[in-house]
């Protein structure tokens, strides 16, 4: 079977979708060919494939390999089915369908996911750990992932190491360092890939030592991790710092300066350095797309067949140059109701530019998660409108609103709410919300609003250990610097082995000294 996969993927030629779906379900198809077909279907993002892929997945008479591949393609969209459908699949499906449903479950289905994630003996424990990588941004969900690093099954350990990259809990650092020395190479590599998000002296020392590991793949992974920590984190912090902050940071980095190659007389690249002029693209790349008549534009994007890479690349410019004032009556419903979730997701910034508030608000209730996330973010880019604060606040309370989506939703709420309403709510969220992204977004919002007394009321949090990461402490230190609030002695933070915390402390110290 000769399939031009590279061409189909680069052009996103959906005229191949039906044929690929037919071949995917062939019972005797070699595994490598099935994987290639599945990867190509993922790249096509053809909404017409959802129904036939679901039929393949649910058909118990189809070979398991085809059903597994169909499930992988469906999960790659980032737009899972509704929670109700997932619960039905979990209750009524066979083992393969239950596994697929579990992998797609989010925070709203924690009553199913959490008990399995806490049960190392459950046959779907690995899948539950993988499911908690996203959207489970509360302290109680971190323990099972950390514990899974010591699971007897190396596949579980590998998944756990990857899952911890998203929330980066401080408590996982030591277990991840142990996992980086795991005898199973794939586990060690997964742990090293996650440890690049742990900017501590301890991590830098341990990872640098692993650059001498006897296995070539582990050495390579350790080298990548050490390079990112060294150049992308520690040295970048020094290079960005002013003279006073730099002295503070260099003193703190004393135990690892030999690993960083920073001389005693190190000067910032910014000293005496002029930024180069921005590189402008060639005129051909800057040229505006030739405007299409509205009827031709709609016909082009209504056709789900054919090559879509070029249509996606030129989508924004084409619609921005469309005759919106004349044709809004057809353009807005066309975009907001398009069959392709990609179009609805990308329509959000256009609807903001056109000030189409009702259409954008409607998309925040779209069945596709990525559309809801995009539209809620862009709703916050509209001019303040008190009528939009209520829907955003309700959306924040939804069990499925977690992670970055939750922080963006809160930002949208603050944009549209009255300060006398939002400030007390933000203070309450910063103190007690279980979602760390919501807590630090609340602190940032209070700082932007100039809520000095509320920030001062939150300062005792600086003396508490991190619930998950140092994000709340960093947000508070940033707020202190912005509002001219003295954070106190911060003795516990001075002992924190984290370059980001030390940078924030150095900035606050420098700001306080300049005021004095």
């Amino acid at each position: 079977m000769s399939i031009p996969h590279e061409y189909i993927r680069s052009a996103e030629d959906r005229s191949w979708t039906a044929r690929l779906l037919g071949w995917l379900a062939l019972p005797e198809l070699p595994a490598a060919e099935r994987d290639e077909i599945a990867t190509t279907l993922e790249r096509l993002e053809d909404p017409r494939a959802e129904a036939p892929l679901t039929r393949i997945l649910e058909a118990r008479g189809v070979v398991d390999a085809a059903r597994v591949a169909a499930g992988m393609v469906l999960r790659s969209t980032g737009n899972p089915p509704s929670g109700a459908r997932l619960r039905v699949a979990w209750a009524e499906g066979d083992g393969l369908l239950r596994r697929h449903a579990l992998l797609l479950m989010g925070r709203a289905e924690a009553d199913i996911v959490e008990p399995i994630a806490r049960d190392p003996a459950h046959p779907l424990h690995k899948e539950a750990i993988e499911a908690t990588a996203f959207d489970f941004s509360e302290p109680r969900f971190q323990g099972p992932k950390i514990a899974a690093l010591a699971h007897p099954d190396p596949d579980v350990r590998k998944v756990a190491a990857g899952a911890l990259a998203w929330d980066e809990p401080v408590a996982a650092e030591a277990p991840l360092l142990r996992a980086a020395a795991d005898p199973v190479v794939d586990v060690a590599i997964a742990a090293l890939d996650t440890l690049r998000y742990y900017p501590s002296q301890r991590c830098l020392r341990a990872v640098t030592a692993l650059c001498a590991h006897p296995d070539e793949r582990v050495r390579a992974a350790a080298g990548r991790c050490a390079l990112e920590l060294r150049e992308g984190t520690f040295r970048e912090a020094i290079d960005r710092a002013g003279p006073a902050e730099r002295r503070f940071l260099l003193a703190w980095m004393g135990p690892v300066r030999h690993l960083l190659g920073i001389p005693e007389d190190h000067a910032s690249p910014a000293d005496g350095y002029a930024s180069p002029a921005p590189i402008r693209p060639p005129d051909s790349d800057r040229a505006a797309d030739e405007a299409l008549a509205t009827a031709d534009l709609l016909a082009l994007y209504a056709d789900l067949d054919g090559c879509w890479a070029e249509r996606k690349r030129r989508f924004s410019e084409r619609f921005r140059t469309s005759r919106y004032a004349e044709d809004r009556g057809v353009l807005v419903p066309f975009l907001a109701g398009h069959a392709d979730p990609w179009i609805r997701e990308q329509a959000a910034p256009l609807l903001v530019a056109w000030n189409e508030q009702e259409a954008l608000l409607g998309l925040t209730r779209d069945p596709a998660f990525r559309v809801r996330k995009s539209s809620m973010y862009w709703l916050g880019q509209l001019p303040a409108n008190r009528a939009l604060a209520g829907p955003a606040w309700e959306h924040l309370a939804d069990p499925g609103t977690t992670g970055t989506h939750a922080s963006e939703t809160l930002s949208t709420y603050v944009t549209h709410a009255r300060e006398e309403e939002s400030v007390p709510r933000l203070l309450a969220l910063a103190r007690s919300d279980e979602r760390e992204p919501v807590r630090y977004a609340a602190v940032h919002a209070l700082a932007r609003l100039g809520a000095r007394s509320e920030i001062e009321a939150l300062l005792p949090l600086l003396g508490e250990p991190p619930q998950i990461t140092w994000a709340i402490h960093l947000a508070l230190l940033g707020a202190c610097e912005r509002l001219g609030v003295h954070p106190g002695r911060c003795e516990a933070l001075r002992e924190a082995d984290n370059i980001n915390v030390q940078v924030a402390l150095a900035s606050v110290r420098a700001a306080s000294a300049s005021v004095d």
Side-chain angles (χ1 to χ4, degrees):
M1 185 183 301
S2 178
I3 304 172
H5 286 290
E6 290 305 316
Y7 157 73
I8 299 171
R9 294 170 188 172
S10 62
E12 294 184 40
D13 187 349
R14 293 175 175 180
S15 67
W16 285 83
T17 297
R19 283 171 284 180
L20 292 168
L21 288 167
W23 293 324
L24 184 74
L26 291 175
E28 302 301 325
L29 191 68
E33 290 187 32
R34 202 184 309 274
D35 289 344
E36 284 288 305
I37 289 171
T39 299
T40 300
L41 285 167
E42 289 179 8
R43 191 74 59 85
L44 287 176
E45 296 183 312
D46 190 341
R48 300 173 302 175
E50 180 180 355
L53 284 168
T54 301
R55 287 194 294 270
I56 293 172
L57 172 67
E58 294 177 349
R60 302 189 186 190
V62 174
V63 294
D64 283 355
R67 297 179 66 197
V68 169
M72 289 176 59
V73 179
L74 288 167
R75 292 193 298 276
S76 73
T77 66
N79 292 317
S82 68
R85 285 181 59 188
L86 292 175
R87 288 177 182 276
V88 169
W90 178 255
E92 301 177 1
D94 64 356
L96 195 150
L97 191 56
R98 283 164 62 87
R99 176 183 179 274
H100 171 76
L102 183 62
L103 285 168
L104 284 171
M105 287 181 179
R107 175 62 181 81
E109 292 77 44
D111 58 305
I112 295 174
V113 179
E114 185 178 10
I116 301 173
R118 292 187 178 279
D119 181 2
H122 196 285
L124 292 176
H125 180 65
K126 176 170 72 74
E127 286 74 14
I129 294 296
E130 186 173 349
T132 60
F134 306 100
D135 299 337
F136 289 77
S137 55
E138 298 167 42
R140 78 175 202 256
F141 298 122
Q142 308 309 314
K145 287 183 284 190
I146 296 171
L149 289 171
H151 196 279
D153 185 342
D155 289 339
V156 175
R157 300 199 299 273
K158 177 184 175 182
V159 164
L164 287 162
W166 297 98
D167 288 328
E168 306 165 32
V170 172
E173 182 174 343
L176 280 166
L177 288 171
R178 289 193 292 271
D182 196 282
V184 177
V185 169
D186 286 345
V187 177
I189 292 173
L192 286 164
D193 287 344
T194 295
L195 283 166
R196 60 196 172 106
Y197 300 112
Y198 285 79
S200 69
Q201 294 183 16
R202 174 174 63 171
C203 185
L204 179 62
R205 285 194 297 267
V207 169
T208 301
L210 285 169
C211 290
H213 194 279
D215 187 278
E216 181 181 0
R217 290 186 297 157
V218 175
R219 288 200 306 272
R224 291 192 300 271
C225 181
L227 179 65
E228 184 154 346
L229 288 170
R230 188 173 62 246
E231 303 296 335
T233 305
F234 281 81
R235 289 189 65 107
E236 183 176 335
I238 289 292
D239 292 342
R240 287 184 173 183
E245 295 101 311
R246 192 153 60 245
R247 286 191 296 271
F248 177 90
L249 293 174
L250 287 172
W252 180 80
M253 290 181 187
V256 293
R257 291 243 335 235
H258 65 290
L259 300 177
L260 299 171
I262 300 175
E264 291 296 327
D265 58 348
H266 176 78
S268 170
D271 297 339
Y273 175 77
S275 298
I279 299 174
R280 300 182 66 187
D283 289 342
S284 58
D285 290 344
R286 297 201 309 270
D289 198 355
E290 182 179 351
L292 294 173
T294 299
D296 295 334
L297 186 63
L298 299 189
L300 178 65
Y301 284 90
D303 181 9
L304 295 175
D305 206 44
C307 297
W308 268 77
E310 189 267 352
R311 289 184 230 183
K312 289 181 176 180
R313 182 175 63 83
R314 301 172 75 176
F315 169 81
S316 179
E317 183 60 32
R318 277 173 167 162
F319 277 89
R320 284 188 185 278
T321 58
S322 64
R323 298 175 178 85
Y324 166 72
E326 303 170 15
D327 299 322
R328 65 180 298 273
V330 291
L331 285 170
V332 172
F334 174 81
L335 293 171
H338 199 279
D340 192 336
W342 187 92
I343 295 289
R344 303 197 302 278
E345 179 184 352
Q346 299 301 315
L350 291 172
L351 296 174
V352 168
W354 299 340
N355 200 30
E356 290 288 345
Q357 298 188 12
E358 287 302 316
L360 192 58
L361 185 60
L363 287 178
T364 65
R365 299 183 288 271
D366 194 274
F369 168 74
R370 284 169 51 177
V371 179
R372 294 196 302 274
K373 183 179 184 298
S374 173
S375 55
M376 182 55 71
Y377 168 81
W378 284 102
L379 200 70
Q381 309 308 304
L382 288 168
N385 179 349
R386 305 302 179 222
L388 299 177
W393 183 254
E394 291 175 8
H395 195 85
L396 183 66
D398 187 281
T401 304
T402 61
T404 304
H405 181 40
S407 62
E408 292 171 350
T409 300
L410 181 58
S411 179
T412 294
Y413 164 73
V414 173
T415 295
H416 298 295
R418 293 182 177 87
E419 284 190 29
E420 56 267 28
E421 173 190 278
S422 65
V423 168
R425 286 178 167 180
L426 290 169
L427 180 60
L429 291 172
R431 279 177 166 157
S432 60
D433 197 276
E434 287 293 312
R435 298 163 292 182
E436 185 173 80
V438 171
R439 295 184 69 207
Y440 67 68
V443 174
H444 283 305
L446 288 169
R448 289 196 305 272
L449 294 173
R452 183 185 179 96
S453 62
E454 283 74 16
I455 292 297
E456 290 174 339
L458 292 170
L459 291 182
L461 295 176
L462 291 175
E464 297 181 5
Q467 285 193 332
I468 299 179
T469 72
W470 292 105
I472 308 301
H473 302 74
L474 294 172
L476 278 170
L477 291 172
C480 289
E481 181 180 2
R482 179 171 185 158
L483 301 179
V485 173
H486 196 288
R489 295 181 60 84
C490 298
E491 292 178 352
L493 292 183
R494 295 180 191 281
E495 301 300 320
D497 186 6
N498 183 286
I499 184 61
N500 296 325
V501 173
Q502 299 307 318
V503 167
L505 284 173
S507 297
V508 171
R509 281 168 54 97
S512 299
S514 66
V515 172
D516 297 339

